[in-house]
Amino acid sequence: MTQETRGQRRDPSGSPRGWRAAAQEALYGPAGFYRRPEGPAGHFRTSVHASRLFAGAVAELLQRVDTALGRPAALDFVDMAAGRGELVAGVLAALPPEVAARVRPYAVEIAGRPDGLDERVGWRDEPPAEITGLLFANEWLDNVPVDVAETDPSGVPRYVLVGADGTERPGDPVTGADADWLARWWPLGAAEGARAEIGLRDRAWAAAAGRVARGLAVAVDYAHTADARPPFGTLTGFRAGRETTPVPDGTCDITAHVALDACAAADGRPDPARLLTQRVALSALGITGVRPPLALASTDPAAYVRALASAGEAAELTARGGLGDFGWLLRAVGIPDPLA
């Protein structure tokens, strides 16, 4: 029996299978969650949906990449897991006309192209083979499906198998490449019930970031690192704006936080990738959440109200315990780190 079969087996009667295979079909199959007409915004709120300031910050980052590249005639911007194109549209709107005229914007998404999207945007199911510019993956890796491993009473990590109704049971022991990954990145120890999520996120990230010939690749996501792995994993679901039990039936999002340190080490480049929080990254891009001076309320009340609203949105994007704690993984290729 192969490792693939052990972790993801399924028979025609619909018996339980590994979480990776179950989530792949539930999220991306013909009737999958990410093909639903309402799109991700109908079920959960990301930084893109929280404020236009986020798209403005990404536009600022793209301009820094453009400068570092010497302002090429064609500047790529690739929005990975583009949803319904909200980020790529916001970035185009925030760019100066001279830069926008040179940008080649791409939205990478499995769902069909939404009506009304700027005609300049190329809609694709995978990134371009070679990118000169910025690849930006906002909350993509958390939806790359994972297998779940749980330690049995004998201290052996086993795959967790799941039925269509979300009912779980133990499967075969974790072996092969998955066992090697656990040993390096998420050792479970012998305590019964300890759980880990074994994904292909590092491979997915390496494949996407590897398409950047010159420029910058960025992943933004819920994250953890080896010094603070969650002891029982993070697999969960979202439906209609609420966190819910993950059930692989296509009606809810199925997500798990990302071992971004494993992703950072996966692309094999000699220079290290960089990890930082969204709070630090957005501050470097000019988003701080500082309230406007009260004196402005007397001299220009309308400007004060606008600035106060903007500060509130910035505070949400950078909040401790919230969006500000998201991880940013940066891989600069052939240019200096624009956030250094």
Side-chain angles (χ1 to χ4, degrees), residues 42-131:
H43 295 270
F44 53 85
R45 190 166 180 256
T46 72
S47 297
V48 177
H49 308 125
S51 172
R52 289 181 294 179
L53 293 175
F54 189 78
V58 177
E60 168 64 22
L61 181 58
L62 179 58
Q63 291 176 78
R64 294 188 188 186
V65 171
D66 181 42
T67 298
L69 290 170
R71 298 182 175 83
L75 175 67
D76 297 323
F77 174 63
V78 181
D79 180 11
M80 288 290 298
R84 296 303 179 264
E86 298 95 337
L87 178 59
V88 67
V91 168
L92 286 174
L95 289 172
E98 185 278 325
V99 179
R102 291 185 288 108
V103 167
R104 293 188 298 199
Y106 300 97
V108 180
E109 181 59 67
I110 65 160
R113 183 187 183 96
D115 294 335
L117 184 65
D118 192 313
E119 62 182 15
R120 292 175 292 174
V121 177
W123 194 266
R124 329 168 38 112
D125 59 5
E126 63 177 32
E130 185 172 299
I131 297 164

Side-chain angles (χ1 to χ4, degrees), residues 216-255:
L216 182 70
V218 180
V220 181
D221 236 308
Y222 301 96
H224 47 68
T225 52
D227 58 346
R229 300 284 190 229
F232 304 109
T234 62
L235 190 76
T236 192
F238 283 93
R239 182 189 293 114
R242 295 180 181 274
E243 190 169 0
T244 185
T245 301
V247 178
D249 61 1
T251 67
C252 68
D253 186 26
I254 298 172
T255 179

